[in-house]
């Protein structure tokens, strides 16, 4: 959301993205592809992390387990569009 706000503010001031400055966001929200220019962003899949967190919480509730296992890092990728 902040990156899209930045794109709007830069356009209002006559700054051309990506010619004058590159802008990149995170989370790959659906509106990012429809913005002008379309926003380059980082997409992440939090499915595995969410499952591991849920299992950890369940273990604490069931067994009182307090040690945290290493959590998996989300898989991520860069979605290249025209803003960077």
């Amino acid at each position: 959301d902040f990156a899209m706000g930045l794109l709007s503010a830069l356009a209002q001031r006559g700054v051309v993205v990506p010619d004058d400055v590159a802008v990149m966001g995170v989370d790959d929200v659906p509106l990012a592809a429809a913005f002008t220019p379309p926003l380059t962003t980082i997409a992440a899949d939090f499915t595995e992390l969410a499952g591991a967190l849920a299992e950890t919480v369940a273990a604490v509730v069931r067994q009182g387990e307090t040690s945290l296992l290493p959590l998996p890092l989300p898989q991520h990728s860069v979605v290249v569009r025209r803003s960077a």
Side-chain angles (χ1 to χ4, degrees), residues 1 4 9 12 16-17 29 33 41 43-44 48 52 56-57 59 64 66 72-73 83:
D1 293 342
M4 290 182 288
Q12 289 175 2
V16 179
V17 175
V29 296
T41 185
E48 185 180 0
T56 300
V57 170
T66 58
L73 293 175
S83 70

Side-chain angles (χ1 to χ4, degrees), residues 3 7 17 20 35-39 41 43 45 51-52 56-57 61 73-74 82 84:
L7 286 175
V17 175
D20 298 329
F35 227 74
T36 302
L39 182 62
T41 185
D45 181 0
T56 300
V57 170
V61 171
L73 293 175
R82 291 193 331 240

Side-chain angles (χ1 to χ4, degrees), residues 56 59-60 64-69:
T56 300
V60 169
E65 177 66 44
T66 58
S67 64
L68 294 176
L69 299 174

Side-chain angles (χ1 to χ4, degrees), residues 6-33:
L6 179 60
L7 286 175
S8 292
L10 291 170
Q12 289 175 2
R13 287 162 180 76
V15 178
V16 179
V17 175
D19 295 345
D20 298 329
V21 65
V23 177
M24 188 169 175
V26 295
D27 293 339
D28 195 26
V29 296
L31 188 57

